[in-house]
Amino acid sequence: MNLMNIGPLSFEEYETRTVAFHGCMSPGLLIGGFMVELATRSLPADALYDVISESAKCLPDAVQLLTPCSIGNGWLKILKIGRFALTFYDKHSGEGIRVYLDTDKLQQWPEIRNWFLKLVPKHEQNTQLLMAKIKEAGCAILSSRRVSIDVSRFQKKKGKPISICPKCNEAYPGEHGAICRVCAGVLGYFSESATQQPAKMLAA
Amino acid sequence: MNLMNIGPLSFEEYETRTVAFHGCMSPGLLIGGFMVELATRSLPADALYDVISESAKCLPDAVQLLTPCSIGNGWLKILKIGRFALTFYDKHSGEGIRVYLDTDKLQQWPEIRNWFLKLVPKHEQNTQLLMAKIKEAGCAILSSRRVSIDVSRFQKKKGKPISICPKCNEAYPGEHGAICRVCAGVLGYFSESATQQPAKMLAA
């Protein structure tokens, strides 16, 4: 078994950092590490890239651990698509590469396939074997394609005015309307007096 | 000036980790550090908490740097509310604390107020003075309230079946429908041939 590095890290270093950041090593995060590795190897060394994750589960943490892109600095975006794919793209030109877990290639890796497609109940899963198979597979279960992103859709809106909500007295983006989304009842999620009804509004 | 620690870190350690993770130290991330500090000090030491960030900008990175909660492990959630607030809550009982930047308290801190409410153009802003004032203010510009969260709204959906999209051959959450959201044209964001139109669907 000839293990590749994951980004600038050895596998062991990646595992240590993952446990510290994510709480545990997970199959998704390990595959995510190889996806980041494949994507960054496919880009010019001096590329100034942003990343789109098509899943909110595990994958964003692989990106945050291995690249300068985080959810808080805005260079990582999460889309509610639920596919296991990452797109790295030049933030100016939009040219980039999309890396994804290839279901066709999983035919040769039944343990990984059973986990990924949830074909085996979790309590029947041999996690140790699964992780060993993922390490063995590395990038062999991934595919990638050159893609083009409309960067204008992902650019930050700068300089939009801030308003103070007349109901809660908190600052909010003025473009949301005359009062903030919580006071408008659209995005409430907590109660101080058990009278406020939460509404569905999870973003990620 | 009697500076408090930020979580388990000294201010200098927090700054170093922030630059490594977020790319730079920012006013929002510094205030976010004090918010995490105030929230965790208000919770029982053995609390098993999840976090909700009401903003996608900067704040999530303070949480990810200072707590075990990350966007990829699902213990941190981001809501599209655009308010500068974090809620830490017991993931079982829903009882918790919401910490927010208090606009009333900012009256005494004009540099922070001007930055936060965008009252001064960025190029006229004295960033060094702003950061010094934030360090000086610490938790004095924050307020907190006990809140109660309906945890059922934030629990992970487990064991939902995975489908293979007949159009793109990729795995996706079966509950999304007969084909994945990208092939359905709802959440496309890239083109391989420039014929596919991206649609607005940013989650965070």
Side-chain angles (χ1 to χ4, degrees), chain A residues 61 64 70 87 103 169-170 189, chain B residues 61 64 70 87 103 169 189:
Chain A
D61 283 0
Q64 294 187 114
S70 76
T87 295
T103 52
N169 211 30
E170 290 189 46
Y189 70 94
Chain B
D61 283 1
Q64 295 186 115
S70 76
T87 295
T103 52
N169 211 31
Y189 72 94

Side-chain angles (χ1 to χ4, degrees), chain A residues 39-49 90 146:
Chain A
T40 48
R41 272 198 284 132
S42 307
L43 293 168
D46 59 349
L48 202 58
Y49 56 80
D90 183 294
R146 294 273 158 198

Side-chain angles (χ1 to χ4, degrees), chain A residues 17 20 31 34 47 66 87 133 141 157 196:
Chain A
R17 286 216 208 165
I31 296 172
F34 290 119
L66 294 166
T87 295
K133 288 293 177 184
I141 52 175
K157 298 172 201 160
Q196 204 172 348

Side-chain angles (χ1 to χ4, degrees), chain A residues 14 21-22 28-29 32 36 51-67 69-71 76-79 83-86 204, chain B residues 21 64 70-74:
Chain A
Y14 181 61
F21 184 75
H22 184 83
L29 210 41
V36 172
V51 180
I52 292 169
S53 172
E54 295 186 22
S55 172
K57 290 180 187 167
C58 294
L59 271 186
D61 283 0
V63 175
Q64 294 187 114
L65 278 161
L66 294 166
T67 78
C69 305
S70 76
I71 199 76
L76 166 65
K77 283 106 180 164
I78 299 173
L79 306 185
R83 300 198 303 190
F84 210 79
L86 294 173
Chain B
F21 184 75
Q64 295 186 115
S70 76
I71 198 77
N73 68 21

